Amino acid sequence: MRGMRGMRGMRRARDTPGARAESGTRAASGGRPTSEGGAKRRRPSLRLPRLSALRLPRSRRGRRLAVQGLMALCVLALLPATWMRLGADARVGTTADAPAREVAMVFGAGLWKGRPTPYLAHRLDAAAELYRTGKVKVVLVTGDNSRVEYDEPDAMRTYLTERGVPDDRIVSDYAGFDSWDSCVRAKRIFGVDRAVLVSQGFHIHRATTLCRTAGIDAYGVAVDEPRDATWYYGGTRELAASGKAALDALFRPDPRFLGPQEAGVTEALASATP
């Protein structure tokens, strides 16, 4: 009997309002202890800001203005490339069309395991053809040698000598970090006044325009390439590069590295004279 009364007492204790409230609090907290005052600690939630700025205009007039703004941006992006293509188009052709010049100028286009990439190799093949046919006497190779382990001009020289161009007819510019630098250095450092430029079709108009701006009477040879992924990438990249080139042609900055004048081209031409 005493045990039965004890069990009834425990049930009555559980049924009191205070016990029910405490039980409800524990149940709501999943059996975990709560903070002072019975309030559950809540973790701060991370909410990303709403991208309301990207919402399209709802009105017809707003949508029309948005389309007009997008078209204006496209025109501005295409304007430098269009200007360079139209301005240099009459001075761009093939190796067969190229006029006789003393110097051919080949722009770097990257190395793969120390050897010219296929695109650079095609440029060098065209330059070797110009030399074999007697249209040029000297080849100026201009590229990047900003790191000890990366030497575009020497790799280009090796490739040309393997294809019959004498070593003393090749001149190296080790600071041709971009097209503008190459053109300015060809004029101011190596004393080139007239040259045949060799590059791919998507680049040759820009190179010809920049070299003419730098003071070189330039004719561009456009090397044919298959329309592969690299070609389309180069064409797309040319849009951004044309914008920079337009600024270079307008402000005419000094190259990243200028340095003293070099007699490499003069000496190579002297050795080519019978």
Side-chain angles (χ1 to χ4, degrees), residues 142-162:
T142 173
D144 187 354
N145 183 216
S146 58
R147 308 186 304 277
V148 175
E149 69 277 7
Y150 190 85
D151 191 342
E152 278 187 322
D154 278 357
M156 295 161 75
R157 176 187 289 272
T158 300
Y159 189 94
L160 286 172
T161 56
E162 291 172 351

Side-chain angles (χ1 to χ4, degrees), residues 14 52 75 115 117 123 126 141 238:
R14 286 198 297 264
S52 57
V75 170
R115 296 284 295 176
T117 60
R123 298 180 186 185
V141 291
E238 197 64 21

